Amino acid sequence: MTNFYSFQGTVTIINDFNIGQNGDGCYKLITVENGMGTVVNFVVTPNTYFVDHAIVAVGDRITGYYDGDAPAPLIYPTQYRALIIVKDHPSQNVKVDFFNRQLVSKDGRLQLNLSSYTQILLTNGQPFSRNPANRDLIVIYGPSTKSIPAQTTPYRIIVLC
């Protein structure tokens, strides 16, 4: 179970992040500013998962998810290794968290109601044939109730194995 933290803002810079001879061009440094003066650099690796395989450009609003328990260098701006990047889209919501056996997120804010139309996939796009409970999930959904926890029937669930 990963302790997911997130940072949301507008992409201001995208640069190559040089890590050595075989990694040239494979790593990126994406600088994100949240509109209140806080800046974060996300190190994007070949293993960073981009929801919907979105291409991110300067000016896009994104949310970057990182492991809140992973060490981070004490530099400014803060730098995190991005695990998941979501390009904001007005018609969909995304939640990245651990969901328990009742499909309630670890923070207790979202409960999932699965339907036969809910796609449950692996990060490689292949179908996931088991119950998604008790796992780290990327949940893509639309409307939800105003209850606590909010309830939704997700469009798609991506299982982070």
Side-chain angles (χ1 to χ4, degrees):
M1 172 172 35
T2 303
N3 193 15
F4 290 103
Y5 282 61
S6 66
F7 184 82
Q8 183 177 44
T10 302
V11 176
T12 57
I13 302 170
I14 300 176
N15 285 321
D16 284 339
F17 187 70
N18 193 358
I19 62 150
Q21 62 198 53
N22 289 339
D24 284 354
C26 294
Y27 292 75
K28 300 287 182 191
L29 193 66
I30 297 179
T31 303
V32 180
E33 197 267 318
N34 70 353
M36 294 182 280
T38 305
V39 177
V40 164
N41 283 330
F42 283 113
V43 176
V44 175
T45 73
N47 294 324
T48 301
Y49 183 79
F50 282 75
V51 171
D52 296 328
H53 302 288
I55 304 296
V56 173
V58 171
D60 289 341
R61 288 202 41 87
I62 67 165
T63 303
Y65 292 87
Y66 58 95
D67 183 348
D69 295 330
L74 294 173
I75 58 174
Y76 181 82
T78 307
Q79 182 173 296
Y80 300 112
R81 186 173 67 87
L83 300 175
I84 299 155
I85 299 284
V86 179
K87 186 174 177 178
D88 291 0
H89 195 280
S91 65
Q92 75 180 16
N93 300 301
V94 177
K95 175 84 170 172
V96 179
D97 207 347
F98 177 84
F99 285 80
N100 67 19
R101 63 187 177 97
Q102 286 88 26
L103 293 173
V104 175
S105 61
K106 186 171 80 173
D107 65 6
R109 293 182 180 196
L110 187 65
Q111 181 172 9
L112 308 180
N113 299 316
L114 301 183
S115 83
S116 59
Y117 298 105
T118 302
Q119 287 184 308
I120 304 174
L121 306 170
L122 296 168
T123 55
N124 63 10
Q126 298 305 301
F128 182 76
S129 58
R130 304 279 179 136
N131 185 336
N134 290 318
R135 297 179 183 271
D136 289 333
L137 305 174
I138 302 171
V139 179
I140 296 131
Y141 64 101
S144 63
T145 65
K146 301 251 187 237
S147 61
I148 299 176
Q151 295 187 33
T152 190
T153 303
Y155 304 141
R156 191 166 16 125
I157 296 173
I158 296 137
V159 179
L160 301 171
C161 291

